[in-house]
Amino acid sequence: MGVGASSVVAPEGYGRGWGQTSLGDMPESCVAAVLLYLDPAEICQVACLNRAFRGAASADCIWAAKLPANYRYLAALAAAADDDDCGCDDAAEGSDGRCCSSAAIKKEIYERLCRPTPFDGGTKEFWIEKNKGGFCMSISSKAMSITGREDRRYWSHLSTEESRFHSVAYLQQIWWLEVGGEIDFCFPAGSYSLFFRLHLGRPHRRMGRRGHGSENIHGWDIKPTRFQLSTSDDQHTASESYLINPGRWILYHVGDFIISSSDEVTELKFSMMQIDCTHTKGGLCVDSVCIYPKDQGYEEDCIFCQKIL
Amino acid sequence: MAAAADSSGDGGTSSGEKTIVLVSSDNSARFEVREAAALLSQTVRRMIDEAGADASGDGITLPDVDAKTLAKVLEYCNKHAPASSSSSAAEAAPPAEGEEDLERFDREFVRVDMGTLYSLVTAASYLKIEGLLNLTCQTIADMIKGKTPEQIRKTLGITSEFTPEEEDEVRRENAWAF
């Protein structure tokens, strides 16, 4: 190795030769330094290896790096939602309530935030994606304004387990389709994509098999449906797409937006419209608007709408 | 104990560049290294600041780093140190070492047994050498990724002291991540 030390005799009592250091001799802070390079699933896997790993896997420094910048704010919302759920006054009671009290370690906070937190009367939910910690949100059609919603000739509600809100808005037929909504929230800084989660046809289960009724589907291939997204700091996207592929839930990608600060409230407005009154359209389920970290990779089919300049 | 030349072979004093003497924890070895190399360690930097300008005569003792580990650490520092500000032509080599050359060096550098790797992580952490800490931690992390628990135990040379009850408890605590 070319090292020029003049004397490398280990003195008595030192007890360790070259290559005899073991993992157990590495201070827990150093094990934690290694774990920083692993994903949450990997960290939780190695926690099961031995006591040193178990301890290091719970180190705050590791999970602090994975939590969103405004995790304290998100954790407080989660604690409030959990309190509402279990009806406890003391946040320290109950196995979930403790997770977001000030006594919780960061690993527990991360775990809790991976589970959805409902807000605004259960019409919206947020969570963090467990593999990378990216912030996600879903806004139910119940929270949106839908033109003609009250008129049973046009719109009705369908109970279905295929929505995280357990019900979706179903359109039989209409001339003027306009669905819109908005949200004010402190998003963690980053880049996000916004989608409308839609389904052509009426989903059902018969005799254990999943199918869909297509009797009302019409009008979506005549003119494209238009989508819009805007933020309070003047980011705008307009895009359009024909609605296709009956029988499947599809994420229609409206556009992207950037949040620069985790400490500021951003107002988002979004809408979908098809108001060409020369034709009717129908047979559509509107579940929700989904906001995911940009380029995350999605479990459902995704269609990228054409940007309108 | 005579002062030893640093591993790059050029005596610090002959080229006129400032050198620093680092001493291992057991006092068994002294290393004279270019200042630029030694200052890759934030800990050494702080010790020098605290000791003042003329304290380096005796060398700086590093109480937590043994001789063999220190030698290996300095091999890294010498390779990664920035070029000295004195522009003698003989000193032109580092780190005009291209990036590819450094990457190759790093890859070879971490091909050591686990015990050495652990010592390097510990030393890099104590000495606060960011590049070395990143390199060694990433190396161990890469040994963990994609392996089953049994494979990881074998590679890292660790045994579990968990009782069956403890094992169940840990598994339950962590099931949420899978």
Side-chain angles (χ1 to χ4, degrees):
Chain A
M1 217 180 309
V3 171
S6 59
S7 158
V8 288
V9 172
E12 279 173 3
Y14 192 70
R16 302 245 182 259
W18 190 244
Q20 280 176 29
T21 314
S22 77
L23 180 61
D25 300 329
M26 224 169 38
E28 202 173 276
S29 59
C30 290
V31 179
V34 172
L35 297 190
L36 270 175
Y37 290 80
L38 300 180
D39 287 340
E42 290 159 343
I43 296 171
C44 289
Q45 186 187 43
V46 299
C48 304
L49 289 179
N50 70 7
R51 292 204 181 104
F53 270 94
R54 184 186 188 183
S58 291
D60 265 1
C61 60
I62 296 180
W63 297 97
K66 311 237 179 267
L67 283 165
N70 60 352
Y71 72 89
R72 286 188 190 86
Y73 165 69
L74 300 175
L77 291 177
D82 293 343
D83 279 353
D84 287 345
D85 260 356
C86 73
C88 301
D89 285 311
D90 181 1
E93 304 251 43
S95 58
D96 287 343
R98 183 186 165 275
C99 287
C100 290
S101 71
S102 53
I105 64 169
K106 296 205 168 47
K107 182 182 183 213
E108 288 168 350
I109 297 178
Y110 189 94
E111 177 190 350
R112 172 58 189 86
L113 291 181
C114 287
R115 285 183 279 123
T117 297
F119 62 105
D120 282 358
T123 62
K124 305 181 178 116
E125 279 188 352
F126 73 82
W127 65 97
I128 64 178
E129 189 278 316
K130 70 184 178 188
N131 287 321
K132 303 283 175 207
F135 181 84
C136 305
M137 181 183 286
S138 188
I139 299 164
S140 168
S141 55
K142 299 179 213 172
M144 299 188 214
S145 46
I146 300 183
T147 307
R149 173 179 228 152
E150 300 310 316
D151 192 329
R152 312 212 80 229
R153 289 174 295 169
Y154 307 139
W155 290 93
S156 58
H157 287 278
L158 214 57
S159 289
T160 170
E161 284 319 297
E162 297 182 7
S163 162
R164 54 173 62 235
F165 301 100
H166 311 299
S167 107
V168 301
Y170 178 70
L171 172 69
Q172 281 96 247
Q173 169 173 289
I174 205 166
W175 300 95
W176 183 285
L177 169 70
E178 184 172 2
V179 176
E182 58 187 55
I183 171 120
D184 292 358
F185 201 84
C186 252
F187 295 91
S191 299
Y192 296 91
S193 298
L194 185 140
F195 305 83
F196 267 87
R197 184 169 184 260
L198 306 173
H199 181 282
L200 285 181
R202 204 186 157 106
H204 57 65
R205 286 197 85 84
R206 295 207 180 117
M207 320 227 270
R209 295 184 64 110
R210 197 255 180 205
H212 70 280
S214 48
E215 24 335 318
N216 284 332
I217 305 177
H218 68 286
W220 305 108
D221 48 354
I222 299 175
K223 293 267 171 65
T225 300
R226 291 209 156 182
F227 299 88
Q228 285 198 67
L229 159 66
S230 65
T231 70
S232 43
D233 61 352
D234 282 331
Q235 300 173 63
H236 297 275
T237 310
S239 58
E240 63 183 20
S241 176
Y242 292 95
L243 303 192
I244 59 176
N245 292 353
R248 308 172 74 116
W249 285 102
I250 307 231
L251 297 172
Y252 284 86
H253 175 264
V254 175
D256 303 328
F257 61 97
I258 297 178
I259 300 287
S260 352
S261 161
S262 307
D263 298 318
E264 282 169 22
V265 174
T266 300
E267 186 190 338
L268 282 183
K269 289 193 162 94
F270 44 84
S271 66
M272 69 180 271
M273 298 185 29
Q274 200 345 296
I275 57 174
D276 175 3
C277 289
T278 63
H279 71 285
T280 66
K281 58 272 328 182
L284 172 72
C285 290
V286 177
D287 170 38
S288 56
V289 154
C290 301
I291 295 167
Y292 295 139
K294 188 162 179 287
D295 299 330
Q296 170 172 271
Y298 314 107
E299 280 169 11
E300 289 182 315
D301 294 344
C302 182
I303 287 181
F304 287 84
C305 303
Q306 284 274 72
K307 299 284 172 289
I308 305 170
L309 296 162
Chain B
M1 222 161 280
D6 71 328
S7 57
S8 68
D10 52 346
T13 46
S14 60
S15 69
E17 195 202 341
K18 189 152 186 251
T19 60
I20 291 180
V21 174
L22 297 173
V23 186
S24 66
S25 57
D26 46 12
N27 239 316
S28 66
R30 300 168 65 83
F31 300 88
E32 187 179 353
V33 291
R34 287 195 293 132
E35 185 186 49
L39 291 185
L40 285 182
S41 159
Q42 295 304 311
T43 302
V44 167
R45 198 179 276 261
R46 185 182 42 90
M47 284 170 158
I48 292 176
D49 285 344
E50 283 170 3
D54 52 8
S56 48
D58 266 354
I60 295 175
T61 303
L62 302 169
D64 284 341
V65 191
D66 66 75
K68 288 203 159 165
T69 309
L70 184 52
K72 187 82 177 153
V73 168
L74 291 177
E75 204 185 304
Y76 177 90
C77 291
N78 281 320
K79 187 74 175 179
H80 279 258
S84 74
S85 47
S86 72
S87 53
S88 119
E91 285 278 345
E97 319 256 16
E99 229 178 275
E100 258 181 52
D101 187 53
L102 282 178
E103 280 173 16
R104 217 176 312 130
F105 171 85
D106 284 354
R107 271 199 298 277
E108 278 308 306
F109 185 80
V110 289
R111 289 163 74 134
V112 293
D113 60 78
M114 286 314 301
T116 308
L117 208 41
Y118 296 143
S119 299
L120 285 172
V121 171
T122 310
S125 171
Y126 164 68
L127 291 170
K128 295 199 191 345
I129 303 172
E130 192 181 322
L132 182 58
L133 188 61
N134 284 347
L135 173 63
T136 49
C137 285
Q138 183 73 71
T139 302
I140 300 180
D142 289 343
M143 290 175 183
I144 291 175
K145 279 180 184 290
K147 292 203 168 76
T148 66
E150 294 71 39
Q151 288 171 328
I152 300 173
R153 284 203 179 99
K154 192 149 174 258
T155 308
L156 300 188
I158 61 183
T159 51
S160 164
E161 331 92 327
F162 286 142
T163 64
E165 292 78 29
E166 272 177 308
E167 257 199 69
D168 279 341
E169 199 187 325
V170 184
R171 212 172 290 132
R172 261 182 288 120
E173 264 170 25
N174 290 285
W176 62 268
F178 304 119

